[in-house]
Amino acid sequence: MSEVVVFSGAAHRALATEICAGLGVDLSPVEITRFSNDCLQAQLQVNCRQRDVYIVQPLVPPTQEHLMELLLMIDAARGASAAQITAVIPYYAYARSDKKDASRLSIGGRLVADLLATAGVHRVLTMTLHAPQVHGFFSVPVDHLTALGVLAEHFVEQDLSDAVVVSPDFGNAKTATQFARLLGLPVAAGSKKRLADDRVVIDAIVGDVEGRRAIVLDDEIATGGSIIELLDRLAEQGCTSAAVACTHGLFVGKAVERLRDHPMITEVVATDTVPRPDVDWPGLRTRSVAGLFATAIERTHAGESISSLFDGVDPSLGPPQPKLFD
C-alpha cells in the first residue's frame, strides 16, 4: 500500500487512525491554518504526486467548518498532482437535504456534491446515506457502504425469541426489513409525520409488537425526538422494552439525556462513523466500521469489487442479482 496516502481533517481523527491501522499505513499529517480574518488554509505535509490519496472527514458539527476543511484538502491534493483523490465521508450530513418539498428551498445534498466535484475529487466513499437518491446527486463515482452487517453482529448472539425489528417510519422500512431478515425476526414500522427538525408525530404502529422486545433501527439519531415519540407509541401497543440501533449516532441537543434516562431503552448501539459523545453513558455500545472502510479502500486501490463486501447483507449494494428473464 506504499502508493496510498491517507489524510484526515479535524472531524474524526480517531476513525482515520483506525482505518490506517487496517491498511498498514501511517495517517499523514495536515496543517490547517486559520488566518486573522477567520479563513482556513490546508497544507498536506506528505508528497501526493501520482499517488492514490484518501481524505477522511465525516461532516459532523461544526458541519460547515469540517466541510470547508474537506474542500481545501481536496483542492490541495489536486494541486499536488495526486493521481486519484477519494473523499471518505463516513457521515454525509447534507443527505438529509435531498428534495424540494417547500417553495424556494435549497437542496443541500446536490450542492455539496457539486462542491466536492468542483474541488477536484475523483470518487466518494460513504456509508448509509439518509436517502438512496442522494447517490445520484454526484457526478463522480460513489461507493455506498452499509453498516447493517456490523449492527446485526451485535444482536445475533442474543436471545431474540421475543424480539421484533421496528422502523421509525415507512421510509426506512425497506432497510429495517433487510435487517430483520439478517436476524430472522418480524418487522414493524411507525407512521411518522415530521413537524420540524426536532418535532415529529407518530400516529400508528404497523405490525405486531405486543409483548415483544423491540430493536429500533434508524439510519441516524440527532436529537432523539423521533425515537422517543416511537417508544411512547410502542409502549401503548404493549411493547415491553427496546434496544436502539443506528449507523450515525450524533446525539446532539438533549439526545443523550432523552435516551440514557428512558425507562424502556435497554441499550443504544451505534457505529463510529461519527465521534462518540464525551459523556458518561454505560448503555451506549459503539461498533467499529473502520475495518469496512479499510477493506473498501484496499479494493478501490486494487481495482477490485466493493459490492461483494455486502453479498448476503444488502442486495441493493451487493453484486448484481440473477435476472428473472433473459
Side-chain angles (χ1 to χ4, degrees):
M1 302 294 287
S2 60
E3 296 179 356
V4 169
V5 185
V6 182
F7 298 99
S8 173
H12 199 354
R13 286 199 178 96
L15 176 60
T17 301
E18 282 193 50
I19 291 173
C20 286
L23 291 170
V25 302
D26 293 329
L27 179 62
S28 298
V30 179
E31 182 177 341
I32 303 291
T33 303
R34 186 183 300 274
F35 294 109
S36 57
N37 64 356
D38 204 37
C39 289
L40 296 177
Q41 174 182 279
Q43 184 179 33
L44 309 180
Q45 302 290 300
V46 171
N47 176 36
C48 302
R49 186 175 295 273
Q50 296 305 306
R51 302 180 81 178
D52 198 358
V53 173
Y54 295 84
I55 302 172
V56 182
Q57 184 87 321
L59 299 183
V60 297
T63 305
Q64 280 54 248
E65 182 100 353
H66 292 143
L67 172 60
M68 196 63 201
E69 284 185 7
L70 176 59
L71 294 171
L72 290 170
M73 287 186 288
I74 293 170
D75 179 71
R78 179 178 63 173
S81 301
Q84 177 170 271
I85 305 166
T86 300
V88 182
I89 312 175
Y91 171 60
Y92 185 67
Y94 276 94
R96 295 186 67 171
S97 178
D98 64 310
K99 56 187 175 295
K100 186 175 180 180
D101 51 7
S103 300
R104 297 172 295 281
L105 191 68
S106 62
I107 304 177
R110 175 61 184 266
L111 175 61
V112 173
D114 289 343
L115 288 171
L116 292 166
T118 300
V121 79
H122 297 108
R123 179 179 293 272
V124 171
L125 179 59
T126 189
M127 176 169 276
T128 312
L129 291 169
H130 181 69
Q133 64 265 27
V134 174
H135 193 143
F137 289 171
F138 290 86
S139 59
V140 297
V142 176
D143 291 310
H144 186 198
L145 309 185
T146 178
L148 283 185
V150 173
L151 294 172
E153 287 174 357
H154 178 84
F155 294 99
V156 73
E157 300 298 330
Q158 300 181 11
D159 179 10
L160 302 177
S161 57
D162 62 343
V164 58
V165 173
V166 181
S167 171
D169 54 60
F170 295 143
N172 191 56
K174 183 178 179 180
T175 302
T177 299
Q178 185 60 31
F179 187 65
R181 287 173 180 166
L182 293 176
L183 298 176
L185 296 176
V187 65
S191 174
K192 181 174 77 174
K193 179 179 180 181
R194 181 168 294 280
L195 305 178
D197 179 50
D198 59 349
R199 291 178 57 219
V200 299
V201 172
I202 296 177
D203 51 20
I205 301 292
V206 179
D208 182 18
V209 298
E210 184 175 1
R212 292 181 176 271
R213 175 169 64 99
I215 300 177
V216 177
L217 178 72
D218 209 350
D219 63 318
E220 169 186 340
I221 298 178
T223 65
S226 296
I227 299 298
I228 298 304
E229 176 74 12
L230 176 66
L231 293 178
D232 291 343
R233 301 290 82 75
L234 289 173
E236 293 172 359
Q237 296 291 324
C239 187
T240 58
S241 63
V244 178
C246 69
T247 301
H248 311 299
L250 296 174
F251 307 125
V252 297
K254 297 181 180 179
V256 173
E257 292 78 7
R258 284 172 164 175
L259 300 174
R260 182 181 58 190
D261 302 332
H262 198 283
M264 277 191 68
I265 296 179
T266 57
E267 62 177 346
V268 175
V269 185
T271 76
D272 59 352
T273 57
V274 303
R276 179 186 171 105
D278 187 18
V279 295
D280 181 25
W281 191 357
L284 177 61
R285 312 279 187 254
T286 303
R287 303 285 301 191
S288 178
V289 292
L292 265 179
F293 277 100
T295 302
I297 289 172
E298 285 179 338
R299 295 190 179 192
T300 298
H301 180 65
E304 298 174 351
S305 170
I306 290 179
S307 64
S308 57
L309 282 171
F310 306 111
D311 189 13
V313 176
D314 188 339
S316 65
L317 302 179
Q321 301 299 302
K323 294 182 179 179
L324 293 177
F325 304 102
D326 294 329

